[in-house]
Amino acid sequence: MTAASTQGSVTDLEYDPLDPDVKQEPYPYYTVLRAKEPVKWLPTLQAFSVADYDNIDTLLKDGQTYSSAQFWPELLGEYDPVPEELPMISTDPPDHVKLRKLANKAFVPTKVAELKDRTYQIANELIDDIIAKHGQKGEFDWAWEFTALYPVTVIAEVLGVPTDRRGEFKVWVDLILSAANRAAYGPEKLAEIEDAKVKTRDFFEKLYDERSAKPGDDLISTLISTEVGGVTMTRSQVLSMAVVLLIGGVETTTNLLGTVLVELKRHPDVYKRVRADHSLIPALLEEVLRYNPPVQIIFRHTTKDTELGGVAIPKGSAVMPLLASANRDETKFESPDVFDIDRKIDIPLMSFGQGPHFCLGSYLSRMEARSALEVAFSRFAELDVISEEIHWIDSYFARGPHTLPVRYTAA
Ligand code: HEM
């Protein structure tokens, strides 16, 4: 039985990403879209959604027609700490290629792999804090007390943020991330976001000066000095890259680690196997990334009149590739609605996007998520989500549990 047919007739589901039922469980709606209208006009968002793997792949690989330029300004609005410089994620070819080459060089897997020991250490320290606070046995909120803190601490480490500034840093990052929902906030909250924006800018300006004068082995130092074809990044480009790493790398990995425990609650047989054999953790992560990914939707705008899947799309249209739907495309994945950590996947998942903007942090996020789970499964003899009912964050493009109370026993 497909997920769609568990919720009623396949044909009676009308996709509107803003509908609370869709936000809670979007997958049956994606099934209907792929079957009936892979490219569909959405009146509430004034955008075209694209639901099938091949059309998403095509559009993401065509950065000339499907531009990313409006993505960042729309996400952060006036709360971008580096407004004078569009970041890499919002740059189109050919400029994007130059920036991406520099970033790739600074972010190579060997460099990221050097962080592995620190990720174990960070996960262990957070779990020490949890046990110190709640005792050897009890309950805590996995989403807030572990997954919300861990990726931001790893990124702080990557960027070379001094340990004594990390508390403030976490507060600023959360506030800047919340600018995506600025339309819903009153003046008090907006003033806090503005303050975080100014402090973040200030902080990175000073860090830039320090690292230029005295380079360390952190990413800011590497970004400052990296050269491709005699070209280095400008000061604004380095600052902008630091901010994009924060925005791109924090909430996504937080949500992935939250959803992993949700899926383990729903699939106790899998949990039992992974508990007994930690070498299954990478396969578990891949299946969670496919089945219930942290980034459901990304955004593009057309630079000219075009056509996709037989649908005419005028110049200047907003287009939303539904990445999470591509991962359930029945023409690409066998029994896509089945959660199966043993499945053989022979095409790229869409979870990290595709084409020129393919996630710079895919290697880092997989590595840090793996370390976190290895540590958590070793340190907790019992770690179980308490409730069957999951409250997902209130977003139509990001997905992860808002809170996740767990019962635990320290090992
Ligand atoms: C599970 C975790 C993650 C997921 C699901 C994820 C997802 C994505 C997706 C879907 C894109 C494509 C955006 C687009 O095409 O518009 C992207 C791009 C990007 N991500 Fe990630 N990401 C994750 C973790 C990270 C981490 C840890 C970092 C960095 C520390 C990071 C940095 C970036 C950057 C810089 C880009 C832009 C690349 C470019 O424009 O060339 N991401 N990510």
Side-chain angles (χ1 to χ4, degrees), residues 115-126 150 154 367-368 370-375 379:
L115 283 165
K116 196 162 185 184
D117 287 349
R118 273 299 288 148
T119 58
Y120 285 124
Q121 222 175 340
I122 291 166
N124 268 308
E125 283 161 14
L126 287 172
Y150 173 72
V154 173
M367 185 270 277
E368 60 175 307
R370 180 178 178 172
S371 302
L373 294 178
E374 281 176 13
V375 171
R379 299 285 310 272

Side-chain angles (χ1 to χ4, degrees), residues 42-58:
L42 303 175
T44 54
L45 284 174
Q46 295 285 295
F48 289 89
S49 62
V50 183
D52 66 300
Y53 190 100
D54 283 337
N55 279 321
I56 290 176
D57 195 54
T58 301

